[in-house]
């Protein structure tokens, strides 16, 4: 299957899919890792998260029924695809397929 061309793009469905499919592992106080498939090119990527203001935090899986933010502070993490595939048209100084999306993390 040919690879999608590199394109800096975001879409609301990226956010929804990533919130469902990414797992969140707390590594230590204020340090965690997000891991899951890029919603655009499906390569599993790992994203370190450092949120020194929170001792404990978790990925917030927003559902359609849940319009209100959960209690506690919400931190927005912008995730950029960091796959190592050779997407056509990618500038030499970039990595990934260009997709980016937002994940919300809340203090637990
Ligand atoms: Zn890719
Ligand atoms: Zn990607």
């Amino acid at each position: 299957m040919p690879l999608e061309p590199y394109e800096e793009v975001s879409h609301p469905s990226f956010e929804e899919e990533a919130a469902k499919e990414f797992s969140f592992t707390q590594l230590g106080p204020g340090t965690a890792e997000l891991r899951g498939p890029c919603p655009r090119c499906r390569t599993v990527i790992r994203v370190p998260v450092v949120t020194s203001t929170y001792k404990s935090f978790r990925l917030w899986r927003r559902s359609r029924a849940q319009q209100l933010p959960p209690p506690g502070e919400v931190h927005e993490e912008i995730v950029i695809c960091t796959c190592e595939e050779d997407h056509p048209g990618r500038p030499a100084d970039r990595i990934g397929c260009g997709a980016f999306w937002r994940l919300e993390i809340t203090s637990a």
Side-chain angles (χ1 to χ4, degrees), residues 6-75:
Y6 178 87
E7 194 186 352
E8 285 176 17
V9 64
S10 195
H11 190 274
S13 72
F14 290 178
E15 220 169 277
E16 255 175 61
E17 273 180 55
K20 260 186 265 162
E21 294 180 1
F22 270 63
S23 63
F24 187 82
T25 309
Q26 183 129 15
L27 303 173
T31 312
E33 183 182 80
L34 290 161
R35 188 171 189 277
C38 166
R40 182 164 184 251
C41 72
R42 311 305 301 174
T43 304
V44 172
I45 59 168
R46 303 158 80 114
V47 185
V49 182
V50 178
T51 311
S52 53
T53 50
Y54 303 156
K55 283 200 177 58
S56 168
F57 49 105
R58 60 190 163 83
L59 177 64
W60 177 36
R61 297 173 202 273
R62 185 206 292 264
S63 68
R64 285 180 199 283
Q66 186 187 15
Q67 297 296 331
L68 290 172
E73 283 177 74
V74 177
H75 168 83

Side-chain angles (χ1 to χ4, degrees), residues 2-7 40 85-91 96-97:
L3 288 170
E4 301 90 336
Y6 178 87
E7 194 186 352
R40 182 164 184 251
E85 295 169 309
D86 210 1
H87 288 281
R90 181 169 63 194
C97 70

